[in-house]
Amino acid sequence: MVSGVSQSARDQGEPQPFTHLGVPNADLYRSLLLTFARAKERFIVHLRPEDIAAELRIDADEQLTLALEQLVVWGNLRADVDTSRVTTVEDFHRKRCLYQLAAAGQAAEQAIAFYEEAIGRRGQLQSVALADIAERLHSLKVIAAQPDPDRAKTHLLLLSLAERFTSLADNAQAFMSALRRAIDFSDGDVDGFLAYKERLIDYINKFIADLANSGGQIAVLLGELEVAGHERLLTLAAGREAADAVPEGADAAGSRERAEKEALDAWRNRWRGLRDWFRSRDAGHPSQARLLRQAAVTAIKQLIDAVGLLNERRSGWFAEAPDDEAAHRLWRAAFGLCPARHLSVTGETADAWHDLPLGMAWRDAPPIRISPQLRRTGTYERRGKPSQVRDRSADRELLRAQAELEAAETAAARRCLGTAGPTLLSALDVLDTQAFRLFLALLGDALAARMPGDTEVKTVTSDGTLEVRLSLVPDGGTATIRTADGLLRGPEHIVEITDLTAS
């Protein structure tokens, strides 16, 4: 049922034409009002309930009548008694009404239509509007050269110029906003985006070229019009608009003067917006046309980067995974990284791990015991006495001793590898394990730095402490280096290792 309002409420307060948007049966109210709006476009003012029912293809029943009466209460419609078809006394006593949009209802429909158009507007880059603006400015320049310009023609040209410029600016702003949303394709149709981007880039490139050409022409015309006296044209348009101003009281002349001044201020403001859109004031205040070109170029770069990112996402192991769970399993298998939210090492677990031999696999180590609640919720509060802080001074001392031992072994290896000058690889003494590992690292750095075809290379270690010179010995045969771990054989080279930290 359609909600109703008492007769006394009809005469209280101002009209509330937007109320129908947030009540039950809002769809019915909107369809009724749209029917009246379409009828008004056909220059039909009054509608009977049966006309509305025929338009909407519904029954002209009591519910339709109640809905129309409710819209009358809210101020959307106006009801007039229909006496055109009264032929009997019964017809006279039966209530029949003609309905039409009230002033508040018509204003509300215009506001709703404007809102829906603004929200749904995708915008467009109007190259044709640029040509139209240039053509109208050229016509205004011709009129400005006349000693007595035609007031009506001047006014109509300025109105057309303002309308085309407003459309160009609004549509360009809407298009760039929609383009920024289109670039954010993460939740959109990837295949559709890839097919769409080529045409979009061509579209933007064409507008940038048109804006550069027509924009320069418009900027020149604006400058020539200001020299020719555009203020006189604006004054003529303002005077023509003020001619229709309603006099206020007895001061008709004063009312006309105020209306003309207000109209002239409005036209000056429009002209300033047009000039700032196409002409830069200085380096710090570029024109809106230049800013639009920069934004369009940036959008093209972002589109290309987005396509590259899409291709990267689509050409990989993870893109070929059938679902997210498979991608997660692949990630863990490839990188060995697993979630650690459940990790909560107890004192007993730490003690069990303390004496484990080096190199033991995680699967062979004592397991960690976790609470089912921790795994299920991600949080866990252990009741009872808190655990005592573990004394780790012995662990720190062990780490310090190991660090000192490693430093001493590295220093000894450096001294062992240090050569008094160029030395053949085969002449190196027996290398212990630590010296041999350091030597392999140095040899690898030198060989990696040597370019194809080079026979000699010099490089410095990443920490900057050792310099290595390595030269291939032509026809030197094979060198053999004895180490604690076995024999190392390779082409004979001359090697020179210098400790750069030695004083």
Side-chain angles (χ1 to χ4, degrees):
M1 294 294 293
V2 177
S3 59
V5 178
S6 62
Q7 177 67 30
S8 60
R10 183 177 303 183
D11 301 325
Q12 296 178 358
E14 296 293 331
Q16 297 179 340
F18 295 102
T19 304
H20 70 281
L21 296 173
V23 298
N25 297 309
D27 293 340
L28 175 60
Y29 293 130
R30 287 302 307 146
S31 62
L32 294 177
L33 292 173
L34 287 174
T35 301
F36 280 94
R38 287 193 295 266
K40 189 173 180 62
E41 293 174 355
R42 301 193 302 268
F43 307 101
I44 298 175
V45 178
H46 295 89
L47 290 176
R48 295 183 175 87
E50 52 267 29
D51 299 330
I52 301 171
E55 182 74 19
L56 297 178
R57 297 181 181 179
I58 59 176
D59 296 330
D61 52 11
E62 183 180 0
Q63 184 178 8
L64 176 61
T65 303
L66 290 176
L68 292 171
E69 288 296 322
Q70 184 64 71
L71 290 172
V72 172
V73 172
W74 287 327
N76 299 84
L77 300 178
R78 193 184 80 184
D80 298 317
V81 178
D82 182 11
T83 60
S84 61
R85 293 185 296 175
V86 175
T87 57
T88 64
V89 176
E90 290 77 7
D91 291 338
F92 181 81
H93 290 288
R94 185 183 300 117
K95 184 177 181 181
R96 295 176 180 270
C97 291
L98 289 171
Y99 297 93
Q100 71 177 56
L101 279 175
Q106 182 176 349
E109 289 304 304
Q110 292 174 348
I112 293 172
F114 179 80
Y115 172 80
E116 291 177 346
E117 179 184 359
I119 291 297
R121 175 187 296 172
R122 295 184 59 187
Q124 54 189 352
L125 301 176
Q126 297 175 312
S127 298
V128 176
L130 292 170
D132 292 345
I133 291 173
E135 189 272 331
R136 283 155 179 76
L137 287 174
H138 181 75
S139 300
L140 286 172
K141 179 184 173 183
V142 174
I143 292 178
Q146 298 174 358
D148 186 17
D150 185 274
R151 175 177 295 187
K153 185 179 295 185
T154 301
H155 187 209
L156 291 176
L157 275 174
L158 285 173
L159 285 175
S160 178
L161 175 65
E163 186 272 332
R164 294 301 283 157
F165 170 65
T166 301
S167 175
L168 171 68
D170 291 346
N171 277 281
Q173 181 180 3
F175 177 84
M176 296 308 297
S177 299
L179 180 60
R180 284 189 288 269
R181 292 192 298 269
I183 294 175
D184 185 13
F185 56 85
S186 57
D187 296 328
D189 181 7
V190 174
D191 294 329
F193 177 80
L194 291 176
Y196 163 70
K197 62 94 180 175
E198 290 292 345
R199 290 175 294 168
L200 182 61
I201 290 177
D202 292 340
Y203 179 77
I204 298 175
N205 277 328
K206 179 180 180 301
F207 178 76
I208 291 176
D210 292 339
L211 184 60
N213 296 328
S214 299
Q217 180 184 2
I218 291 172
V220 172
L221 288 171
L222 286 171
E224 293 174 351
L225 265 170
E226 291 181 352
V227 173
H230 73 288
E231 186 75 14
R232 184 167 58 121
L233 302 181
L234 300 182
T235 303
L236 289 175
R240 190 166 186 263
E241 291 181 358
D244 294 331
V246 178
E248 298 179 3
D251 188 11
S255 300
R256 169 70 180 271
E257 184 178 350
R258 284 192 297 273
E260 187 170 351
K261 182 179 182 303
E262 292 174 358
L264 181 58
D265 290 341
W267 276 112
R268 285 172 175 168
N269 189 55
R270 296 189 192 105
W271 186 268
R272 178 182 176 183
L274 180 62
R275 180 184 57 203
D276 291 345
W277 218 88
F278 289 100
R279 300 187 65 185
S280 301
R281 283 181 283 173
D282 49 52
H285 298 83
S287 66
Q288 292 298 314
R290 176 173 295 181
L291 294 177
L292 180 59
R293 289 199 303 270
Q294 294 174 356
V297 172
T298 301
I300 292 177
K301 295 179 180 178
Q302 291 175 344
L303 280 169
I304 296 174
D305 293 341
V307 172
L309 182 59
L310 271 178
N311 291 331
E312 290 180 4
R313 290 182 178 178
R314 304 180 90 191
S315 59
W317 295 342
F318 298 102
E320 297 176 1
D323 51 37
D324 289 343
E325 293 184 0
H328 288 309
R329 289 196 301 269
L330 178 61
W331 172 271
R332 294 171 186 174
F335 303 106
L337 299 178
C338 299
R341 289 184 304 158
H342 62 275
L343 186 58
S344 177
V345 179
T346 61
E348 294 79 5
T349 303
D351 292 337
W353 289 352
H354 185 268
D355 299 326
L356 295 179
L358 295 177
M360 175 177 282
W362 282 101
R363 63 176 176 271
D364 300 328
I368 180 173
R369 307 296 179 182
I370 63 172
S371 167
Q373 178 184 357
L374 177 64
R375 186 62 177 175
R376 184 175 60 255
T377 64
T379 59
Y380 173 62
E381 257 183 52
R382 189 165 63 89
R383 301 183 181 277
K385 183 179 179 180
S387 301
Q388 293 183 352
V389 178
R390 181 181 176 85
D391 183 8
R392 300 189 180 276
S393 56
D395 297 334
R396 288 194 294 269
E397 180 62 25
L398 177 61
L399 292 176
R400 185 190 63 77
Q402 290 179 346
E404 291 179 353
L405 178 60
E406 290 178 359
E409 292 177 347
T410 302
R414 289 176 183 274
R415 290 192 298 271
C416 179
L417 288 177
T419 59
T423 305
L424 290 173
L425 288 179
S426 57
L428 291 176
D429 295 333
V430 178
L431 302 179
D432 60 20
T433 301
Q434 189 69 21
F436 180 58
R437 290 178 180 176
L438 179 59
F439 173 74
L440 283 181
L442 296 175
L443 187 62
D445 291 343
L447 294 176
R450 188 168 66 182
M451 301 298 294
D454 292 347
T455 59
E456 183 177 350
V457 66
K458 181 179 72 172
T459 185
V460 179
T461 57
S462 59
D463 58 0
T465 59
L466 292 177
E467 180 184 76
V468 183
R469 293 175 181 267
L470 192 65
S471 302
L472 179 65
V473 178
D475 301 326
T478 300
T480 301
I481 304 175
R482 291 174 296 167
T483 72
D485 299 319
L487 299 177
L488 174 66
R489 292 186 176 89
E492 183 67 277
H493 284 75
I494 295 176
V495 62
E496 183 179 2
I497 302 175
T498 305
D499 190 353
L500 301 178
T501 61
S503 56

